[in-house]
């Protein structure tokens, strides 16, 4: 039973009270039955004294060769000795048969105050009054109430109406209860006055509050200290800095803050978030953003706030897209050009010119019936309406997000952040110490001496080299697109050359699908390489702060990913089939013909490319996001099972630091991948939505699951993260130059005598005399010797005309109409966007007034406290100030006002 005794609170249980071992065992069993969760939780989240919390954990594995060397032991001892000058440490020594050693870290209150001031954290103040949020006044409601009170005849009407409104309101509240955050589990948190913490003004702050220094703040301060503590003499090795380097060298295996409990045991914030937020069954409920921010930090909280807002805004876009798609299905049987292709009168055939040189034969246009029907689903009058709607939607999304982010920024106190106040990155300090010795200059904001990086000799060459490599990778992505183009050309030529019993529309469909799948595979492979290389290139640029580093990394990766994902789509939309020439006079590249679009244009291929890349990318990313942490958790679990002693295995429940060691580390760039995935998806939804109206619907389905799966992933598979501080015109061109909308419009209102599309098919196809083929490109006449004239999609003079094969006047009229449509479309949308921005200010009027009110009340509180101190009526010291955090006998910890931290 000695192992079980270690689970008990040593301050409340003493074996001297019991006169026999049996009595003691009986008491232990009773405690384990009555309060098993509480006892285990205290042992897992506290030091052995039961009072001091475990704010961070360091772990190392004796089985690792790099951890057992004499140098590793010396570095560990020196590092922990330096840490113990400010932090309190307690080691869970490796027992016989155990390979894992854990070092628990606790931050004393004096150190918390010191670094809260260094980091300029905004902390809650003592409040003597409540913040009154602005209330919206309903003029109609007040007027109705006044009339009903003053005019007796309205009182009876008011009573009946009031009863009906109560019933409606009750039904609405019940319905909204399934959507809004469950206040029983997540009570609404009020907004508190905050100010930048200062120890000289400590009387202004509510240091007596239990939540003054939250676990998130504690872990952030410990992480700051760990990253900037030297483990060797700085003069001997300027790179001997920080826990990350020690982990890289194998001295330690991991460093992480603890989750606050188990996923299967109620009573912890982690359990509550997992079952009431991360569950897919709760996918229709709003997110408890304040609780997410408190547990994971501001960066992750903002990600889920943005993802929730974006998903919410996709609802109207998805509904309108589905309505437009349904309209396409309903009107498909009545589309005259499609009917002309599929149901040609009698046995009359329209023979199209060969799709490749020499080996391809003439083919009947009737073979593309299915292709024409699918193309109409995405190329019809509703496409224009939906493109215009999505342009307005994009403008509304940006303006409403500005308002929402202003509210979030105010509620979470994210204002007044200056990048110049941000501390240098540890990696920057190490590299600067090596490249620019004895070069320092004073920071204009903090007035502290900092290492200085020469611009011309170091930073500029590194930046030029970095972006030169990025340009090379962009060319590599374009080369991959060229490879896919060659694949399509080769497959089409092979199909037609073999004369397989397959219709032309099926050949085009199979080729487009397989080419898009190959392109998706290339994209996924390039993504891994781009991410790895971009981080190393950015590290070379010697960027001082994490914000500057993230900005530069974002620029590189988004540029690479933009070309990687969108290059093939831009090619199909704006280049494919636009410069091929005509039969008998093709524009060739390296003696090869260019790709051609089908009779209805390239919109169907564009739609297939969009659908496969967008949906496929989301499916692959979701699969990898779940498989990757599962695999690494399994590997870590094996390490833990083989690394703990037999006595530890006998425990009914592993300690929290052991359970968290099994989880996967949440890296500094992990959230970046999540943001990038959503930003690229937003590009698919807005830039190319005219070619794929179902894009918002698929994005909505993905995001509903993505939101909850990301939450499950963070809570179940990853260690607790350290908190950190934190297209319109394209659619017009797609409609004008990729679809047949403009040519059909010109034919209907200019050419057609009866104002219909009857005869449009013949109008859109030019004729070519087969005797005019170039030498070497003439087909082998494999089965169509009777063909004298073939057709091809273009607006040119007939073969028997004086100016044969020249561009017709209608071609230039249609081209002018295309450009006119782009100009009108872009200007109309721009005017609406200006109107939207004018009607929807970035910061709501009520919020602006509330911010001013809070600033005024904060100043009044400071003035009142200062006046109180001036009168000599000093406030009583806080509980935290009176607490000395006395240490147990024999503890390795000691507190000093100064520590070996590189700030």
């Amino acid at each position: 039973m000695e192992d079980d005794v270690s689970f008990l609170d040593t301050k409340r249980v003493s074996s001297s009270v019991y006169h026999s071992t049996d009595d003691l065992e009986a008491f232990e069993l009773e405690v384990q039955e009555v309060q098993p969760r509480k006892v285990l939780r205290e042992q897992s989240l506290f030091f052995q004294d039961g009072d001091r919390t475990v704010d961070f954990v360091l772990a190392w594995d004796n089985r690792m060769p790099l951890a057992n060397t004499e140098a590793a032991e010396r570095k560990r001892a020196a590092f922990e000795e330096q840490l113990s000058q400010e932090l309190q440490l307690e080691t869970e020594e490796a027992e016989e048969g155990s390979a894992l050693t854990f070092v628990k870290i606790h931050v004393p209150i004096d150190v918390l105050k010191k670094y809260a001031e260094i980091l300029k954290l905004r902390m809650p103040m003592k409040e003597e009054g409540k913040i009154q949020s602005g209330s919206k006044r309903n003029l109609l409601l007040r007027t109705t109430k006044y009339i009903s009170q003053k005019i007796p005849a309205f009182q009876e009407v008011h009573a009946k109406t009031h009863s009906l409104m109560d019933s409606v309101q009750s039904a609405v509240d019940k319905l909204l209860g399934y959507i809004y955050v469950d206040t029983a589990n997540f009570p609404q948190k009020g907004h508190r006055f905050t100010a930048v913490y200062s120890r000289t003004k400590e009387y202004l702050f509510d240091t007596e509050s239990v939540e003054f220094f939250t676990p998130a703040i504690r872990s952030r301060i410990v992480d700051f200290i760990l990253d900037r503590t030297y483990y060797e003499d700085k003069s001997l090795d300027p790179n001997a800095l920080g826990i990350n380097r020690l982990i890289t060298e194998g001295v330690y295996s991991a460093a992480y803050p603890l989750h606050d409990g188990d996923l299967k045991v109620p009573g912890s914030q982690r359990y509550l978030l997992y079952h009431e937020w991360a569950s897919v069954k709760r996918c229709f409920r709003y997110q408890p953003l304040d609780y997410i921010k408190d547990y994971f930090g501001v960066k992750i909280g903002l990600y889920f706030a943005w993802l929730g807002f974006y998903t919410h805004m996709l609802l109207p876009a998805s509904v309108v897209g589905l309505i437009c798609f349904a309209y396409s299905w309903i009107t498909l049987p009545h589309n005259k050009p499609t009917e002309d292709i599929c149901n040609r009168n009698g046995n009359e055939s329209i023979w199209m010119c060969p799709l490749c040189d020499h080996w391809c034969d003439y083919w009947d246009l009737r073979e593309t019936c299915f292709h024409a029907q699918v193309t109409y689903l995405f190329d019809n009058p509703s496409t224009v309406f939906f493109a215009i709607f999505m342009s307005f939607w994009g403008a509304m999304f940006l303006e409403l997000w500005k308002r929402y982010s202003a509210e979030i920024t105010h509620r979470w106190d994210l204002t007044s952040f200056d990048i110049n106040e941000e501390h240098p990155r540890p990696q920057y300090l190490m590299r600067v110490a090596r490249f620019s010795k004895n070069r320092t200059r004073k920071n204009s904001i903090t007035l502290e001496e900092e290492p200085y990086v020469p611009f011309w000799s170091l930073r500029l060459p590194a930046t030029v080299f970095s972006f030169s490599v990025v340009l090379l990778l962009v060319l590599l992505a374009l080369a991959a697109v060229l490879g896919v183009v060659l694949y399509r050309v080769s497959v089409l030529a092979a199909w037609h050359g073999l004369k397989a019993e397959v219709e032309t529309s099926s050949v085009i469909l199979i080729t487009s699908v397989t080419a898009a799948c190959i392109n998706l595979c290339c994209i996924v492979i390039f993504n891994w390489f781009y991410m790895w290389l971009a981080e190393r290139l950015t590290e070379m640029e010697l960027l001082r702060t994490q914000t500057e580093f993230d900005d530069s990394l974002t620029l590189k990766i988004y540029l690479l990913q933009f070309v990687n994902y969108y290059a093939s789509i831009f090619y199909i939309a704006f280049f494919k089939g636009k410069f091929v020439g005509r039969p008998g006079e093709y524009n060739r590249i390296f003696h090869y013909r260019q790709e051609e679009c089908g009779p209805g244009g390239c919109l169907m291929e564009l739609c297939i490319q969009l659908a496969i890349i967008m949906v496929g990318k989301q499916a692959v990313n979701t699969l990898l996001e779940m498989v990757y942490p599962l695999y690494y958790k399994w590997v870590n679990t094996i390490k833990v099972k083989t690394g703990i002693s037999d006595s530890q295995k006998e425990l009914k429940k592993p300690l929290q630091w052991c359970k968290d060691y099994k989880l996967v580390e949440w890296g500094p760039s992990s959230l970046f991948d999540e943001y990038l995935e959503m930003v690229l998806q937003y590009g698919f939804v807005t830039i190319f939505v005219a070619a794929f109206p179902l894009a918002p619907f698929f994005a909505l389905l993905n995001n509903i699951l993505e939101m909850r799966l990301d939450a499950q992933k963070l809570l179940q598979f990853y260690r607790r993260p350290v908190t950190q501080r934190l297209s319109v015109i394209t659619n017009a061109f797609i409609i004008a130059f990729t679809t047949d909308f403009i040519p059909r419009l010109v034919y209907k209102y200019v050419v057609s005598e009866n104002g219909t599309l009857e005869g449009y098919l013949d109008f859109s196809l030019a004729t070519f005399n087969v005797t005019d083929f170039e030498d070497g490109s003439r087909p082998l006449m494999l089965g169509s010797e009777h063909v004298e004239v073939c057709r091809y999609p273009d607006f040119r003079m007939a073969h028997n005309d004086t100016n044969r094969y020249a561009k017709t006047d209608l071609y230039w009229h249609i081209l002018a109409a295309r450009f006119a449509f782009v100009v009108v479309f872009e200007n109309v949308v721009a005017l609406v966007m200006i109107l939207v921005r004018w009607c929807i200010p970035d910061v709501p009027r009520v919020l602006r007034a509330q911010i001013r009110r809070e600033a005024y009340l904060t100043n009044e509180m400071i003035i009142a406290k200062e006046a109180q101190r001036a009168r000599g009526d000093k406030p009583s010291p806080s509980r935290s100030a009176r607490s000395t955090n006395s240490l147990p006998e024999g503890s390795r910890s000691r507190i000093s006002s100064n520590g070996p931290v590189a700030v």
Side-chain angles (χ1 to χ4, degrees), residues 858-869:
T858 301
N859 290 332
E860 290 295 314
M861 289 170 60
I862 295 174
I863 293 172
K865 291 293 183 182
E866 293 290 349
Q868 185 181 13
R869 288 174 59 86

Side-chain angles (χ1 to χ4, degrees), residues 518-588:
I518 293 174
N519 193 19
L520 177 62
C521 294
C522 295
I523 287 172
V524 173
I525 295 173
F526 285 164
N527 278 351
W528 293 339
F529 179 65
Y530 288 163
M531 293 291 292
W532 176 83
L533 188 60
E535 291 184 8
R536 280 148 185 80
L537 291 174
T538 308
E539 198 66 60
M540 293 175 53
E541 297 176 14
L542 297 174
L543 298 172
R544 172 182 171 271
T545 65
Q546 190 63 41
T547 301
E548 294 173 338
F549 182 88
D550 292 342
D551 290 345
S552 180
L553 181 63
T554 301
L555 178 61
K556 291 184 188 65
I557 292 183
Y558 187 74
L559 177 61
L560 292 171
Q561 301 288 39
F562 184 89
V563 176
N564 194 24
Y565 277 101
Y566 299 147
S568 61
I569 299 173
F570 268 99
Y571 164 75
I572 295 174
F574 305 120
F575 296 99
K576 181 178 178 180
K578 302 298 187 296
F579 311 102
V580 296
R582 62 170 179 81
E585 194 177 332
Y586 286 112
N587 298 322
R588 299 177 182 273

Side-chain angles (χ1 to χ4, degrees), residues 818-833:
R818 292 181 193 270
F819 281 109
F821 176 83
V822 172
V823 173
V824 172
F825 186 96
E826 192 272 340
N827 280 277
V828 169
V829 173
L831 289 174
V832 173
M833 291 174 65

Side-chain angles (χ1 to χ4, degrees), residues 7 125 233 243 308 415-416 466 539 552 559 595 605 639 771 854 887:
F7 278 82
M125 302 174 63
D233 191 346
I243 185 63
T415 54
S416 306
S466 176
E539 198 66 60
S552 180
L559 177 61
E595 272 194 296
E605 295 175 54
K639 292 180 181 179
T771 60
E854 291 175 10
L887 304 180

